[in-house]
Amino acid sequence: MDKVKQKTHTGAVALGIRGSGLEQAGEACLPKPRAADLSIADCPAESPARTKELMEKICEAGNVARALKRVEANKGSYGIDGMKVEALAAFWKENWPVIREQLLIGTYQPNPVRRVEIPKANGGMRKLGIPTVVDRVIQQAILQVLQVRYEPTFSQSSYGFRPGRSAQQAVTKAQEYISQGYSWVVDIDIENFFDKVNHDRLMSTLAKRIEDKRLLKIIRAYLNAGVMENGLVKPTEEGTPQGGNLSPLLSNIVLDELDKELGARGHLFVRYADDCNIYVKSLRAGQRVMTSLTAFMTKRLKLKVNQNKSAVDKPSKRKLLSYSFTNEEKPRVRIAPQALKRFTVRVRMLTNRHRGISVGKLVRELVVYLRGWMNYFRLCQTPTVLARLDSWISRRIRCYLWKQWATIANRATELIKRGVDKINAYRVACSGKRRWVMSRDKYVQMALPNAYIRSLGILPLGGFVKA
């Protein structure tokens, strides 16, 4: 056993007695392992007397194999030890028996997470904590067992990070409430939720339904593992880092108490992770709810409501998961203005005339983004907005081609080749007008009609939902 520990010390962060050397940080490009590479099936069978213990269930061969496969499929970045997902299968095959023994006797110690910052939609930075790939596998194995226990007891009004539930379902339910006359929304924003979860309170909640002290110990260890930032490890005394497999489930367990409270009060609401909207029939009722829930969350849940971002208002003036609603008796689902702004910024970047790449490559990148964007916003019921975006995207492509054609001779040749008569082709090619103006020119549009734009693979936005 000492030899195994010595081998795993290099290439991962001190597996030995301290813990797994793989970091759950990012699941980066990892080829699928062959079944023969997974040594989990070779582990000793559990004794019937111990299979009822949660940690034994977590360490069962089938459960761990599924967790390993999920981490490999997700792909992602490395943790503090630098181990990538590609190296996980071989490492796991050699070291799983040691890791398993540590989990069962309660001596396993997770590694700190690696701090990564990504831009927020509102312009700020979101802090992620990337575990080692080994810790990701262990967290995933824990998640798979705990999810079976907790999922049936969660509120029907909770939609985030749950199997078979989605943001679109939450938006559809909100639209249903508004259509029933609940025309005011109490939009509650929890300040830095994932960074402010109270560890003691979370562990107390878990202990009510988890008797296996080894499992409670390792969950606490993950919460307190610390964060490596600029080469230094900082302790984590609160919060559950975004980036770990367990964090979504733990966040739902924390906020399930809020769901139960709202349900007991008879409120109609939808919650997706830390986004919670409660629907009421009047401004006065909304203000009462906001006041009472702010007190409840502060005193009971030890969480702070962000007063600057929370409000009682008409649903048309608020956003829910980047959607909004029209201000009508029968409200339609629309894309929130902030999301439309982010969309145009991204498309401008992808179609920037100075990128210097082929039209084919530009279109491939653009299509990937448009398909993902439209699949998320497939509930949009304002087709005129999508039509305007379609027209704008077509103009961006025409601008890009006009820039690539570059010279008067090339532009004239391309126009003629595409059906424009010679006189008008040279007249348009010699124009000194800006490219954006030229993208609306009658003859440029004749040469590059919408049908041509579609032939490149850029479908109308509504068409990407079906593509």
Side-chain angles (χ1 to χ4, degrees), residues 158-325:
S158 168
Y159 294 89
F161 308 126
R162 297 182 61 189
R165 289 177 163 256
S166 66
Q168 289 77 14
Q169 290 174 335
V171 173
T172 300
K173 180 57 71 172
Q175 182 185 26
E176 179 184 315
Y177 292 151
I178 299 167
S179 299
Q180 292 172 2
Y182 294 85
S183 56
W184 290 85
V185 61
V186 183
D187 186 356
I188 294 180
D189 182 272
I190 304 173
E191 189 171 295
N192 298 323
F193 169 72
F194 285 93
D195 296 328
K196 296 296 182 181
V197 171
N198 184 283
H199 288 178
D200 291 337
R201 204 172 190 293
L202 171 57
M203 294 308 302
S204 175
T205 301
L206 291 171
K208 293 175 182 177
R209 296 181 60 181
I210 297 176
E211 297 180 359
D212 193 325
K213 289 185 168 45
R214 296 166 301 173
L215 179 52
L216 293 172
K217 180 180 178 181
I218 193 171
I219 292 176
R220 168 72 84 166
Y222 275 119
L223 293 173
N224 295 337
V227 176
M228 179 172 283
E229 196 169 5
N230 300 322
L232 298 175
V233 176
K234 299 179 181 178
T236 47
E237 298 176 352
E238 60 181 0
T240 172
Q242 296 182 72
N245 302 54
L246 265 177
S247 291
L249 176 63
L250 295 180
S251 70
N252 274 333
I253 290 172
V254 170
L255 292 176
D256 187 56
E257 190 170 348
L258 171 63
D259 297 342
K260 296 294 192 291
E261 179 69 17
L262 291 171
R265 297 184 186 188
H267 290 308
L268 301 179
F269 70 99
V270 296
R271 183 179 66 78
Y272 191 100
D274 55 337
D275 287 335
C276 185
N277 280 10
I278 303 107
Y279 295 89
V280 296
K281 289 191 172 182
S282 69
L283 173 60
R284 180 174 294 181
Q287 291 170 337
R288 286 198 304 268
V289 171
M290 176 67 80
T291 300
S292 62
L293 283 182
T294 299
F296 172 81
M297 296 180 72
T298 302
K299 295 176 182 178
R300 287 280 297 277
L301 302 185
K302 309 299 181 186
L303 295 171
K304 184 178 180 182
V305 173
N306 189 327
Q307 299 295 338
N308 294 325
K309 295 183 178 180
S310 301
V312 180
D313 211 332
K314 288 288 187 178
S316 59
K317 296 182 179 179
R318 307 298 295 177
K319 63 181 178 68
L320 173 63
L321 302 170
S322 294
Y323 280 96
S324 186
F325 303 92

Side-chain angles (χ1 to χ4, degrees), residues 6-120:
Q6 187 176 3
K7 289 180 182 178
T8 58
H9 185 77
T10 57
V13 177
L15 168 63
I17 306 175
R18 294 284 308 168
S20 85
L22 294 162
E23 308 200 284
Q24 177 187 21
E27 293 160 37
C29 311
L30 170 68
K32 301 291 186 241
R34 297 168 300 174
D37 291 333
L38 303 180
S39 60
I40 299 168
D42 299 328
C43 295
E46 306 290 346
S47 66
R50 300 188 67 191
T51 52
K52 294 182 180 179
E53 298 291 340
L54 283 181
M55 190 56 77
E56 274 70 29
K57 289 180 180 294
I58 289 165
C59 293
E60 281 178 357
N63 184 57
V64 177
R66 289 194 301 274
L68 181 60
K69 187 175 181 180
R70 174 61 65 88
V71 169
E72 290 177 324
N74 284 347
K75 303 181 180 180
S77 185
Y78 53 88
I80 64 169
D81 61 356
M83 182 180 288
K84 297 182 178 180
V85 180
E86 289 85 347
L88 177 58
F91 180 90
W92 194 265
K93 180 177 181 179
E94 181 177 359
N95 297 291
W96 165 238
V98 175
I99 299 172
R100 178 180 178 278
E101 183 64 20
Q102 292 176 344
L103 290 170
L104 291 176
I105 65 177
T107 61
Y108 181 85
Q109 289 295 321
N111 287 293
V113 298
R114 180 170 67 92
R115 173 66 76 212
V116 174
E117 293 188 352
I118 60 173
K120 281 185 176 182

Side-chain angles (χ1 to χ4, degrees), residues 377-442:
F377 288 107
R378 61 184 179 270
L379 297 184
C380 177
Q381 296 173 331
T382 52
T384 54
V385 173
L386 298 182
R388 285 199 299 269
L389 291 176
D390 285 331
S391 175
W392 176 72
I393 291 169
S394 295
R395 289 188 65 185
R396 296 288 302 179
I397 299 299
R398 293 188 187 105
C399 278
Y400 195 85
L401 286 167
W402 194 251
K403 169 72 164 57
Q404 283 211 326
W405 292 347
T407 66
I408 292 175
N410 283 344
R411 288 172 176 172
T413 300
E414 290 290 344
L415 291 172
I416 293 169
K417 185 169 65 176
R418 297 163 189 272
V420 179
D421 66 274
K422 190 172 182 180
I423 293 176
N424 281 312
Y426 273 97
R427 180 183 62 78
V428 171
C430 292
S431 174
K433 294 179 182 178
R434 297 174 65 87
R435 298 182 190 93
W436 186 245
V437 176
M438 294 306 299
S439 68
R440 293 190 65 180
D441 182 271
K442 178 174 69 173

Side-chain angles (χ1 to χ4, degrees), residues 129-185:
I130 308 299
T132 63
V133 287
V134 164
D135 281 330
R136 286 210 294 279
V137 174
I138 296 170
Q139 286 195 30
Q140 180 65 30
I142 294 172
L143 169 67
Q144 289 166 181
V145 170
L146 290 186
Q147 199 164 52
V148 173
R149 296 172 68 89
Y150 280 94
E151 180 63 27
T153 67
F154 284 149
S155 168
Q156 290 298 306
S157 297
S158 168
Y159 294 89
F161 308 126
R162 297 182 61 189
R165 289 177 163 256
S166 66
Q168 289 77 14
Q169 290 174 335
V171 173
T172 300
K173 180 57 71 172
Q175 182 185 26
E176 179 184 315
Y177 292 151
I178 299 167
S179 299
Q180 292 172 2
Y182 294 85
S183 56
W184 290 85
V185 61

Side-chain angles (χ1 to χ4, degrees), residues 343-409:
F343 173 83
T344 57
V345 169
R346 178 66 174 167
V347 172
R348 280 196 177 97
M349 186 200 78
L350 290 171
T351 58
N352 187 294
R353 296 187 296 276
H354 303 291
R355 291 191 68 193
I357 61 175
S358 69
V359 173
K361 183 176 181 182
L362 179 147
V363 167
R364 286 193 296 272
E365 293 179 3
L366 182 60
V367 165
V368 168
Y369 174 70
L370 293 179
R371 180 176 290 116
W373 189 84
M374 199 59 223
N375 277 331
Y376 182 82
F377 288 107
R378 61 184 179 270
L379 297 184
C380 177
Q381 296 173 331
T382 52
T384 54
V385 173
L386 298 182
R388 285 199 299 269
L389 291 176
D390 285 331
S391 175
W392 176 72
I393 291 169
S394 295
R395 289 188 65 185
R396 296 288 302 179
I397 299 299
R398 293 188 187 105
C399 278
Y400 195 85
L401 286 167
W402 194 251
K403 169 72 164 57
Q404 283 211 326
W405 292 347
T407 66
I408 292 175

